[in-house]
Amino acid sequence: MTEKIALTPATHTTPPAKFSHGVKKGNILQVAGQVGFLPAVEGQAPTPAGPTLREQTLQTLANVQAILEEGGASWDDAMMIRVYLTDVDHFAEMNEIYNAYFEEQGLKEAPSARTTVYVGLPKGLLIEIDALAVLS
Amino acid sequence: MTEKIALTPATHTTPPAKFSHGVKKGNILQVAGQVGFLPAVEGQAPTPAGPTLREQTLQTLANVQAILEEGGASWDDAMMIRVYLTDVDHFAEMNEIYNAYFEEQGLKEAPSARTTVYVGLPKGLLIEIDALAVLS
Amino acid sequence: MTEKIALTPATHTTPPAKFSHGVKKGNILQVAGQVGFLPAVEGQAPTPAGPTLREQTLQTLANVQAILEEGGASWDDAMMIRVYLTDVDHFAEMNEIYNAYFEEQGLKEAPSARTTVYVGLPKGLLIEIDALAVLS
């Protein structure tokens, strides 16, 4: 029996429902949809970074990364990154931010696959990202 | 060679195309997008539970669960649950239903990760859910 | 240590950002979101097949297949196919094309699970597809 472990970085706000920010079972790690919430402050409602797409995107990527690391993984283990944007016009800017971010990460392996689609998100949120990782 | 097995609960309507309601290969189980269709009745078109979000959500969760169980899995094995809603205003109510449902399930392990986004769905459908599970 | 390998068919245009068209690690293969771009021509911007849904869908499926095959997999290994359409009215026609396509593939195993949702896509694109495969 392989145990499923919840991954809950200390910086993260409590999920708004009965789900985990991330789970790991064997060598599979799944990160739940992350948004650009700033590190949790006790007694305060979750607040997104912002208001720019850049700020939200970088905070969202940091939130995904924190969960990967909580599970002993890194971006090098990411197999699939799903990017949800609210506006097709944000695609080029998101790609710029995404590229610069991953350049800085100094990936040692092939970059993750990715799908980007345009959906609705709760008011104030411009981007949501989730990720599937396979650990070595 | 590990075989890929189709998971087709007796209660399920025939998929509208050449896909399986669920598949299992080795310890990986994938549930296709489920909607709130009531148990299939021969000779009748698929009919969603309804008309409320509550009825559709509970039926959708039951449909996902039937496929997990057909593959010898349970909600405890779920790593990722993807929730597609059509209306941001349904988020709070869906969470309430979702939480109560999973309280009742008596999960023994960490709850699954989850992503919720807002998309279009065929007329009459308010929610769609799919799931990835890793068996122990 | 299991290596993560980028899957880059020769026919594919360069991704618009730092991601791989597909990655494989151990027995898990993930195909990034593919659209109906025709085989890459050096010095030309990516051009979608079209303008019909049929042409784009078949090209998109061919692009997914090329990545599966680059990783030594086939449609028989596909566990989950995610179809993103822009218009609910395209569902029936997409299913017809999808069914005929997979009939021709002569699948030896259970067809993949599938989720179809309706989202926004960049101008001119009617369909996007990604896939998760588990190799035998």
Side-chain angles (χ1 to χ4, degrees):
Chain A
M1 163 104 196
T2 314
E3 207 191 346
K4 182 171 62 168
I5 301 158
L7 306 172
T8 314
T11 48
H12 273 53
T13 55
T14 308
K18 207 171 164 52
F19 65 84
S20 301
H21 280 303
V23 287
K24 183 181 164 185
K25 188 171 181 178
N27 67 333
I28 306 281
L29 190 162
Q30 176 70 55
V31 178
Q34 299 296 304
V35 295
F37 287 150
L38 293 163
V41 178
E42 222 187 297
Q44 285 186 20
T47 307
T52 66
L53 179 67
R54 170 173 302 274
E55 289 160 301
Q56 280 203 16
T57 301
L58 291 174
Q59 185 62 51
T60 302
L61 287 165
N63 290 344
V64 173
Q65 185 183 25
I67 295 163
L68 289 170
E69 291 180 351
E70 188 78 16
S74 76
W75 285 116
D76 270 322
D77 301 303
M79 297 289 287
M80 184 58 158
I81 295 175
R82 294 187 180 278
V83 178
Y84 301 97
L85 292 174
T86 57
D87 188 338
V88 172
D89 288 343
H90 288 166
F91 187 57
E93 187 186 350
M94 184 275 291
N95 276 337
E96 250 182 66
I97 300 163
Y98 189 96
N99 287 351
Y101 176 85
F102 282 106
E103 284 296 341
E104 275 173 30
Q105 298 298 311
L107 298 181
K108 289 179 205 79
E109 298 210 58
S112 171
R114 196 185 78 179
T115 289
T116 305
V117 291
Y118 304 86
V119 301
L121 292 178
K123 198 166 180 291
L125 299 177
L126 303 174
I127 186 166
E128 179 163 352
I129 299 179
D130 61 48
L132 174 70
V134 174
L135 281 86
S136 295
Chain B
M1 163 107 193
T2 314
E3 207 191 347
K4 182 171 64 168
I5 301 159
L7 306 172
T8 315
T11 47
H12 273 52
T13 55
T14 307
K18 205 169 167 53
F19 66 84
S20 300
H21 280 303
V23 287
K24 183 181 164 185
K25 188 172 182 177
N27 68 332
I28 307 281
L29 190 162
Q30 177 70 54
V31 178
Q34 299 296 304
V35 295
F37 287 151
L38 293 163
V41 178
E42 221 186 299
Q44 285 187 19
T47 309
T52 67
L53 179 67
R54 169 172 301 275
E55 291 161 300
Q56 279 203 18
T57 301
L58 291 174
Q59 185 63 51
T60 302
L61 288 165
N63 290 344
V64 173
Q65 186 183 26
I67 295 164
L68 290 170
E69 291 180 352
E70 189 78 17
S74 76
W75 286 116
D76 271 320
D77 300 304
M79 297 289 287
M80 184 57 158
I81 295 175
R82 295 187 180 278
V83 178
Y84 302 97
L85 291 174
T86 57
D87 189 339
V88 172
D89 289 343
H90 288 166
F91 186 57
E93 187 186 350
M94 183 276 290
N95 276 337
E96 250 180 68
I97 300 162
Y98 188 96
N99 288 350
Y101 176 84
F102 281 106
E103 283 297 341
E104 274 173 31
Q105 298 298 311
L107 297 180
K108 290 179 205 78
E109 298 209 57
S112 171
R114 196 186 78 179
T115 289
T116 305
V117 291
Y118 304 86
V119 301
L121 292 179
K123 197 166 182 289
L125 299 177
L126 303 173
I127 186 166
E128 179 162 351
I129 298 179
D130 61 48
L132 174 70
V134 174
L135 283 85
S136 295
Chain C
M1 164 104 194
T2 315
E3 207 192 347
K4 182 171 62 167
I5 301 158
L7 307 172
T8 314
T11 48
H12 273 53
T13 55
T14 306
K18 205 169 165 56
F19 66 84
S20 300
H21 279 304
V23 286
K24 183 181 164 185
K25 188 172 181 177
N27 68 332
I28 307 282
L29 189 162
Q30 177 70 55
V31 178
Q34 298 297 304
V35 295
F37 287 149
L38 293 163
V41 178
E42 222 186 297
Q44 284 187 21
T47 309
T52 67
L53 179 67
R54 170 172 301 275
E55 289 161 300
Q56 279 203 16
T57 301
L58 291 174
Q59 185 63 50
T60 302
L61 288 165
N63 290 345
V64 174
Q65 185 182 25
I67 295 164
L68 290 170
E69 291 180 352
E70 188 78 16
S74 77
W75 285 116
D76 270 322
D77 300 303
M79 297 289 286
M80 185 58 159
I81 295 174
R82 296 188 180 276
V83 178
Y84 301 96
L85 292 174
T86 58
D87 188 338
V88 172
D89 288 344
H90 289 165
F91 187 58
E93 188 186 352
M94 183 275 291
N95 275 336
E96 249 180 68
I97 300 162
Y98 189 96
N99 288 350
Y101 176 84
F102 282 105
E103 283 297 340
E104 275 173 29
Q105 297 299 312
L107 297 180
K108 290 180 205 78
E109 298 209 56
S112 172
R114 195 186 79 179
T115 289
T116 306
V117 290
Y118 304 87
V119 300
L121 291 179
K123 197 165 183 290
L125 299 176
L126 302 173
I127 187 166
E128 178 163 351
I129 298 179
D130 62 48
L132 174 70
V134 174
L135 282 86
S136 295

